[in-house]
């Protein structure tokens, strides 16, 4: 349900700063799943693997180059969530 999704996101967000780097990396999978599902529920679109990879790259502080039409706007949802 939407409430469960929101609660899980709040749990992840609250604990993320307390984790060591290894745990943060492991929990990024959970964050990807949450963002994927939230985008799908709100817009009806699905994030493609290239968008998830670029989002993780941006969240790590690196630059990701994407071609026109690859969905840069949706890509930014993942680092926005991870950095919030």
């Amino acid at each position: 349900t939407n409430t469960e999704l929101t609660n899980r996101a709040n749990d992840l967000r609250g604990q993320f700063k307390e984790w060591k780097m290894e745990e943060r990396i492991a929990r990024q999978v959970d964050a990807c799943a949450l963002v994927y599902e939230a985008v799908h529920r709100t817009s009806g679109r699905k994030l493609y693997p290239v968008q998830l990879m670029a989002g993780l790259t941006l969240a790590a502080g690196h630059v990701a180059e994407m071609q026109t039409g690859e969905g840069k706007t949706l890509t930014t949802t993942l680092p926005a969530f991870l950095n919030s």
Side-chain angles (χ1 to χ4, degrees):
T1 66
N2 288 341
T3 304
E4 292 172 337
L5 189 67
T6 302
N7 290 340
R8 183 66 183 129
N10 289 334
D11 289 344
L12 260 180
R13 192 178 298 126
Q15 298 170 0
F16 194 73
K17 293 180 181 177
E18 300 171 9
W19 293 328
K20 295 179 182 176
M21 186 55 69
E22 296 83 13
E23 185 72 16
R24 284 184 182 192
I25 292 169
R27 295 297 180 172
Q28 284 182 351
V29 174
D30 293 337
C32 286
L34 286 170
V35 170
Y36 179 92
E37 186 62 27
V39 167
H40 181 64
R41 288 183 186 193
T42 57
S43 70
R45 298 179 181 190
K46 295 184 179 181
L47 291 172
Y48 291 100
V50 68
Q51 293 169 317
L52 293 171
M53 289 185 292
L56 289 171
T57 300
L58 291 172
H62 301 288
V63 176
E65 182 179 357
M66 296 176 70
Q67 299 297 317
T68 301
E70 283 191 309
K72 292 179 278 297
T73 302
L74 286 178
T75 297
T76 60
T77 56
L78 183 59
F81 174 74
L82 288 173
N83 292 323
S84 66

